[in-house]
Amino acid sequence: MNDPGFSYETRPVRVVFRPGAARTAPPEEADRLGLRRLLVVCGSRGESTARTVARALGDACAGLHTGARMHVPADTAERAVEEARAAGADGIVAVGGGSAIGLGKVIALRTRLPLMAVPSTYSGSEMTPVWGLTEHGVKRTGRDPVVQPRSVVYDPELTLSLPVPLTVTSAVNALAHAVESLYAPDTSPLVSLMAEDGARALTEALPVLAKRPGDLDARGRALYGAWLCGTCLGSTTMGLHHKICHVLGGTFGLPHAETHTVVLPYVLAHNAPAAPGAVAALRRALGARDVPGALWELAGSLGAPRSLAELGLRPSDVGAAADQVAAQPYANPRPVTADEVRAVLGAAYEGRPPSTPEV
Ligand code: NAD
C-alpha cells in the first residue's frame, strides 16, 4: 500500500460567524469561558472597532490597549503584558488584523491568560497556535497551544472598511495558506477539503469585492474562506512560499500581505510538477487549468502589485535572499536549491507571467 496515511488534530476553538457579531458575541463568549476582566488589544487604526467590542463587554472590559504594531516588536509586547497585569486581567481579546492578534498571542504566551480574537483581515492568525515576536530586528516564531484563541468572533461587517488593495493582498495571503497546506507533509483529507473550499470562496468573492467593497454577502464569503485557510495554516507545515516570504519580510523589510501576493504564483508554478494533487484541487477551486497563471491574472487585474521590484527589493538582494532561503528551507514537495530559489525570486522580482509546466 502506497498511501502513507495521515494524522489530524482538532483543537478546542469555538467559532461564531455572523454579521454584527462583534457587537453582541464577545460578552457571551467571555461568559462561556468564565472570564470577567478582559483586556481589549488593537492597533491604533483599529481603535474604533475595538471600542465597539469593549462597549459590548461592558463591566467585563478591564481596559483598552491600542499599542499593537506590525510583527510584534518586543518593547510593545512588554508594555502590553505590564498593562494586562496592572489591570488584573483574566483574559485578552485581540481585535484587528494579524498584528493585533499577534500581540494578543504574545500576552497570552507570557501570562498564560486565555485569548479571544475578533479578526478584521483575512490573515488567519486567529486559527493558529503560532506566535511571533521581533527583537533586535529578528522575528522569532514558535508554537504553543496557549496562544491559540479559545473563541473567535468573525463579523463580516468589520471587513467592510478594508480598502480594496488590502482586501486583495490579504485574501491572497490567505490563499497561500490553502496552497501550501495542500502539499504539506502533514496534510490530510480534511485539510484538503478546507483548502479547496477556502480557495474557492476567496477567489469567487474577490472580483465582486473589487467592484463593490460594501457587498456584505461577498465580504462574508471572503471571511469564510479566510477562516478555512487559517485553519489549514494552523494544521499543517508551510513550505517554500512561506520561507521565501519570511526571509523577504524579516531580512529585507518587505510588506507582509503584498509579498505573499507577488510570490505565490511563482512558487506554485515551481512546485506544481511535484504536487499534482494540490494542483487538481486548486483547478477545481479556481475553475482554471493554469492555476499559477490564473492567480497572477486575478491579483494583478484587481490592482495588486506584481513584482518584488515594486515592493522595494533591490536586484542585488535576490541572490542573498535565495541563499538564505536555501540554507534552512522549510519542508517542500520539491527539493530547495539556491539556484532554483534564485530563479523563482528572479521571476517574482520582474513580475513577468509565471511559466507553468504542464502537470
Ligand atoms: P495588520 O494586522 O498589520 O493589518 C494591516 C493594516 O490593515 C493595518 O494598518 C491595520 O490597521 C489595517 N486594518 C486591519 N483591519 C482593517 C479593516 N477592517 N479596515 C481597515 N483597515 C484595517 O496585517 P495583517 O495582514 O492582518 O497581518 C499581518 C501580520 O500577522 C504579520 O505580522 C504576520 O506575520 C502575522 N501573521 C501571523 C500568523 C500566525 O499564525 N501567527 C498568521 C498570519 C499572519
Side-chain angles (χ1 to χ4, degrees):
M1 179 172 135
N2 293 325
D3 185 345
F6 63 89
S7 54
Y8 179 81
E9 184 181 321
T10 305
R11 295 194 203 90
V13 181
R14 210 179 114 82
V15 169
V16 177
F17 194 116
R18 63 169 182 268
R23 281 179 269 121
T24 52
E28 295 160 13
E29 294 307 299
D31 207 38
R32 277 176 185 274
L33 293 167
L35 302 175
R36 302 275 174 271
R37 290 188 61 76
L38 289 130
L39 180 70
V40 179
V41 301
C42 64
S44 53
R45 282 169 59 187
E47 189 173 336
S48 68
T49 310
R51 283 200 183 283
T52 305
V53 172
R55 263 195 306 275
L57 285 170
D59 290 344
C61 176
L64 177 66
H65 178 85
T66 59
R69 303 278 175 278
M70 189 76 143
H71 301 312
V72 197
D75 55 338
T76 63
E78 216 42 63
R79 276 195 293 279
V81 168
E82 277 165 24
E83 198 165 326
R85 290 196 173 121
D90 63 2
I92 309 295
V93 190
V95 183
S99 300
I101 295 167
L103 177 62
K105 286 178 161 181
V106 172
I107 304 174
L109 184 71
R110 292 272 167 82
T111 60
R112 315 311 279 179
L113 292 175
L115 176 65
M116 290 172 38
V118 186
S120 67
T121 70
Y122 306 133
S123 86
S125 177
E126 67 280 358
M127 296 311 294
T128 84
V130 178
W131 55 267
L133 181 70
T134 305
E135 214 163 359
H136 310 302
V138 179
K139 185 164 178 177
R140 282 189 299 128
T141 60
R143 291 177 93 92
D144 189 322
V146 81
V147 311
Q148 168 100 45
R150 310 280 175 91
S151 170
V152 179
V153 175
Y154 283 109
D155 181 349
E157 285 179 9
L158 295 189
T159 59
L160 289 171
S161 55
L162 271 178
V164 169
L166 188 54
T167 299
V168 175
T169 54
S170 190
V172 181
N173 181 196
L175 279 170
H177 308 148
V179 167
E180 294 227 294
S181 73
L182 281 165
Y183 54 59
D186 44 4
T187 193
S188 59
L190 187 54
V191 163
S192 299
L193 287 174
M194 289 190 284
E196 184 176 328
D197 206 37
R200 183 177 294 113
L202 281 161
T203 51
E204 281 174 4
L206 269 186
V208 180
L209 290 174
K211 281 200 205 101
R212 299 190 304 277
D215 186 316
L216 191 58
D217 286 343
R219 285 289 178 194
R221 190 103 178 99
L223 196 59
Y224 162 79
W227 165 45
L228 293 184
C229 293
T231 307
C232 294
L233 172 70
S235 305
T236 55
T237 307
M238 296 288 106
L240 176 62
H241 171 80
H242 278 76
K243 177 69 188 190
I244 287 178
C245 292
H246 289 167
V247 167
L248 293 177
T251 306
F252 299 93
L254 264 56
H256 180 82
E258 290 89 337
T259 305
H260 275 271
T261 304
V262 169
V263 171
L264 185 62
Y266 301 100
V267 172
L268 184 56
H270 175 78
N271 278 338
V279 171
L282 292 165
R283 278 180 179 153
R284 289 192 296 271
L286 272 66
R289 186 151 182 84
D290 171 11
V291 176
L295 279 176
W296 183 86
E297 188 51 43
L298 176 69
S301 68
L302 301 180
R306 272 197 166 141
S307 70
L308 294 176
E310 277 171 78
L311 301 185
L313 196 74
R314 292 170 308 178
S316 57
D317 295 334
V318 168
D323 289 343
Q324 205 175 321
V325 169
Q328 274 185 313
Y330 297 171
N332 195 59
R334 267 182 85 173
V336 176
T337 67
D339 280 348
E340 285 179 340
V341 180
R342 203 168 288 121
V344 169
L345 283 176
Y349 177 82
E350 290 176 17
R352 52 183 132 97
S355 67
T356 317
E358 191 53 35
V359 178

